[in-house]
Amino acid sequence: EAGVTQFPSHSVIEKGQTVTLRCDPISGHDNLYWYRRVMGKEIKFLLHFVKESKQDESGMPNNRFLAERTGGTYSTLKVQPAELEDSGVYFCASSQGVLGGADEQFFGPGTRLTVL
Amino acid sequence: AQKVTQAQTEISVVEKEDVTLDCVYETRDTTYYLFWYKQPPSGELVFLIRRNSFDEQNEISGRYSWNFQKSTSSFNFTITASQVVDSAVYFCALNDYNTDKLIFGTGTRLQVFP
């Protein structure tokens, strides 16, 4: 069974440009999460989808970030326009949604975003 | 507010040494879950263990063991007879049963030298 995949693995862009990150969760997982780790700090929650609906987007930094999950399958996270402080590693995770907060979340390898 | 603290930023040991990674958490909830994840050089986070707030039994899995103490709000992780392959960043996390999101500590980088 394929794990969570993320594309691209690395992205280097200039301030003011737009970047779109993609996450493909494990097939059949209703829950999809986005997290971000800024260098040396903790991994922080951004938002949570249940199927195609946003369940919790309390961690989204500002309106330059837009996440979508059309059809309840893969998800995209767009940053427009990118700022220097957006640099970090963006992780996607998915879970079945059977046990609620007890569910194991399966993580992808992350996308390393560098904004110059 | 919920918080996870991993005070050890980096630990270096020589192979076969035992090492303990500390994790202290804060929450007002009575029902919660604690996790440990391993991040090897390849980058993905690998699930190691989940523990719910009502189960304080320690757990052992091979060379890994976990000590959960509600009295001190700690969930420490011990690797016995460490190996080079244990080198990674280890994250402790707290999950609110109602919101599903994980609250992570800053991670502890473990380097095991041959």
Side-chain angles (χ1 to χ4, degrees), chain A residues 4-51:
Chain A
V4 176
T5 58
Q6 293 186 244
F7 182 83
S9 57
H10 293 84
S11 180
V12 180
I13 61 172
E14 293 191 352
K15 176 182 171 180
Q17 289 186 320
T18 297
V19 63
T20 299
L21 313 181
R22 175 173 168 140
C23 168
D24 286 79
I26 292 173
S27 178
H29 281 192
D30 287 341
N31 291 284
L32 187 148
Y33 308 82
W34 284 98
Y35 293 86
R36 177 175 73 174
R37 188 184 191 207
V38 174
M39 184 180 294
K41 299 197 172 181
E42 71 271 28
I43 300 169
K44 280 196 172 181
F45 168 84
L46 296 178
L47 89 159
H48 170 203
F49 283 100
V50 177
K51 296 185 180 179

Side-chain angles (χ1 to χ4, degrees), chain A residues 75-101:
Chain A
S75 174
T76 57
L77 179 64
K78 180 190 286 188
V79 185
Q80 178 182 29
E83 298 289 344
L84 298 178
E85 63 265 25
D86 300 333
S87 296
V89 180
Y90 290 76
F91 291 100
C92 176
S94 70
S95 70
Q96 285 187 312
V98 174
L99 301 177

Side-chain angles (χ1 to χ4, degrees), chain B residues 21-52:
Chain B
L21 309 181
D22 298 332
C23 173
V24 174
Y25 63 93
E26 297 175 30
T27 181
R28 292 184 177 180
D29 297 323
T30 55
T31 301
Y32 52 90
Y33 292 83
L34 295 164
F35 299 76
W36 275 95
Y37 281 85
K38 174 182 179 180
Q39 185 185 31
S42 52
E44 77 280 11
L45 292 167
V46 178
F47 168 84
L48 295 178
I49 190 171
R50 167 184 52 228
R51 177 60 91 226
N52 78 56

